[in-house]
Amino acid sequence: MQNLLEVKGLEKEFSLGNGFFKKSSKTFKAVNGIDLTIKKGEIIGLIGESGSGKSTIGRMVLRLIEPSSGKIIYDGKDLTNLSHKEMKEYYRKMQIIFQDSASSFNPRKTIGEQIVNPMLRLGVANTKKEAEEEVLRLLVKVGLKEEHFIRYPHEFSGGQRQRIGIARALALKPEFLVLDEPTSALDVSIQAQILNLLLDLQEEFNLTYLFIGHNLSIIKFFCDRVAVLYKGRLVELADSDTLYKTPYHPVSRMLLDSVLSLDKKPLLDNVNENTGKGGGCVFSEKCGYAIDVCYGAHPEVVHLDGGHQYACYNPPIEEGVEFQDEPQRKLS
Ligand code: ADP
Ligand code: MG
């Protein structure tokens, strides 16, 4: 499979600006040296605790915020230094769906009108009539009705609002979508509907997804590969099956434990006496497996066969966790 997106050494430093007149010189690295490749037609999951840098990565990839360093290469083209004018084509090809995508709609305009406008602006449709017809078709495609075209954003439920956000993204004929926790605000039954819709659309339009989430039970059936993030660092990357059956990194185990049923033994319960020391590896402070070397420097990435990679000095692999149920591509 061909690479659609390559991210190399991506970093984001925010200034902890508390100075009123000038920016504070103190900075905080929210994203630290991320290398990631996404193949055409693939669904890759980016998971991690809240604050681990997932949204920042998603937004940098789309150049909605600027990286502090690193490269973003899309379909062979280096986007990192393109001007906003040069980015126009990519602003169309790359779309984002976030938790409440319809919140960015203007409450005083119909949703149809608001999907049509960017189509005309970005040249996806030549005439207003052509755009309107396409939007009607898309509304039905995402599970809404044609008559919803003339409704206002507040008239829709949470699930419907996500469908509208998806229709707006699709209207621009994108190739690549960042899905930033698209179902986190929805009821479980609605979540499944939206995720199944996203899977159907991915297949039909051969889309590539970067799916951001923290719930591993969703990632499991949704993603081909999963990247695990902790404090801005990519700590493990593997195909979904491998990550579930033989996670190498204690952070992956921690995230798996949080979706394991309560009768299963948590894997990080062996408390290390050094825990709390900090320094070195980003997880050393909390890690039950930390040994002396972990407090020195953050570990290099180790590459295993089959594209499995992890960054850990002391992976607790001898206690391999086995998930019984196979990943499925549909939720019931
Ligand atoms: P996630 O999506 O994984 O929850 P984010 O990417 O939103 O995490 O944030 C990563 C870290 O960067 C967090 O600690 C957050 O507070 C910080 N952060 C995000 N945006 C900004 C900003 N504009 N200025 C300063 N800090 C930010
Ligand atoms: Mg986020």
Side-chain angles (χ1 to χ4, degrees):
M1 253 192 296
Q2 193 189 334
N3 287 342
L4 185 63
L5 184 79
E6 284 173 73
V7 163
K8 291 183 185 164
L10 194 66
E11 308 209 330
K12 183 67 187 182
E13 221 165 49
F14 289 115
S15 64
L16 298 168
N18 53 359
F20 188 72
F21 294 106
K22 64 181 171 71
K23 276 195 177 171
S24 155
S25 57
K26 279 204 175 133
T27 57
F28 151 71
K29 222 173 229 187
V31 174
N32 199 340
I34 300 293
D35 294 319
L36 190 63
T37 298
I38 307 180
K39 299 184 198 92
K40 222 171 200 153
E42 185 179 41
I43 305 182
I44 188 159
L46 190 57
I47 60 155
E49 298 180 332
S50 169
S52 54
K54 307 180 297 291
S55 297
T56 306
I57 293 174
R59 282 167 167 72
M60 283 196 284
V61 161
L62 304 181
R63 287 215 37 217
L64 299 176
I65 54 175
E66 296 300 330
S68 307
S69 61
K71 274 190 191 313
I72 297 148
I73 297 159
Y74 183 86
D75 212 3
K77 174 99 175 166
D78 188 347
L79 303 187
T80 325
N81 297 311
L82 292 191
S83 68
H84 280 280
K85 200 173 159 204
E86 292 166 317
M87 275 296 293
K88 190 172 161 185
E89 176 189 350
Y90 299 95
Y91 289 142
R92 178 189 72 72
K93 286 183 174 169
M94 306 163 88
Q95 294 295 315
I96 184 166
I97 310 276
F98 38 94
Q99 250 188 43
D100 184 5
S101 294
S103 63
S104 57
F105 275 84
N106 181 334
R108 280 177 291 276
K109 288 184 176 166
T110 66
I111 59 138
E113 191 183 350
Q114 294 183 73
I115 301 175
V116 162
N117 288 340
M119 290 173 80
L120 294 171
R121 198 173 59 240
L122 292 170
V124 182
N126 294 317
T127 65
K128 201 171 169 197
K129 184 162 178 291
E130 184 190 325
E132 284 172 355
E133 278 166 9
E134 174 66 4
V135 173
L136 292 175
R137 203 178 63 81
L138 278 172
L139 288 176
V140 174
K141 176 131 269 169
V142 301
L144 295 166
K145 297 189 176 128
E146 286 192 354
E147 61 251 41
H148 287 144
F149 187 100
I150 51 162
R151 301 267 181 87
Y152 293 86
H154 72 268
E155 298 180 66
F156 295 92
S157 68
Q160 286 176 321
R161 287 162 70 89
Q162 282 308 67
R163 292 178 194 273
I164 296 168
I166 293 167
R168 175 174 56 183
L170 285 182
L172 299 174
K173 303 201 190 319
E175 301 167 341
F176 173 75
L177 265 71
V178 172
L179 308 171
D180 191 351
E181 312 222 23
T183 62
S184 296
L186 304 174
D187 291 344
V188 175
S189 61
I190 312 285
Q191 282 187 20
Q193 292 173 12
I194 299 292
L195 291 171
N196 285 331
L197 171 67
L198 287 166
L199 283 179
D200 289 342
L201 296 169
Q202 188 263 340
E203 244 174 56
E204 181 172 346
F205 298 109
N206 191 28
L207 298 168
T208 305
Y209 289 163
L210 175 64
F211 181 90
I212 294 174
H214 58 268
N215 187 340
L216 269 163
S217 61
I218 286 177
I219 299 259
K220 186 171 99 180
F221 89 94
F222 199 81
C223 301
D224 301 308
R225 287 192 300 148
V226 179
V228 180
L229 212 66
Y230 190 81
K231 287 193 180 169
R233 294 269 194 175
L234 208 165
V235 295
E236 185 159 11
L237 176 71
D239 62 74
S240 299
D241 256 1
T242 304
L243 193 89
Y244 273 82
K245 288 189 179 143
T246 48
Y248 269 57
H249 203 285
V251 168
S252 309
R253 296 194 156 217
M254 177 181 72
L255 294 167
L256 282 169
D257 284 347
S258 67
V259 294
L260 278 172
S261 56
L262 286 174
D263 56 323
K264 295 207 177 150
K265 180 180 166 284
L267 287 157
L268 283 178
D269 61 354
N270 53 330
V271 175
N272 187 314
E273 56 189 31
N274 282 327
T275 300
K277 212 164 139 188
C281 170
V282 282
F283 193 52
S284 64
E285 203 179 335
K286 285 193 178 166
C287 185
Y289 295 92
I291 50 177
D292 281 351
V293 65
C294 303
Y295 303 103
H298 188 76
E300 296 283 319
V301 174
V302 178
H303 293 265
L304 303 172
D305 286 347
H308 187 178
Q309 61 183 67
Y310 67 94
C312 179
Y313 293 111
N314 190 28
I317 41 177
E318 71 288 353
E319 295 173 46
V321 56
E322 277 280 343
F323 262 70
Q324 298 307 317
D325 40 347
E326 287 294 306
Q328 311 157 347
R329 292 293 286 207
K330 286 272 158 157
L331 275 184
S332 48

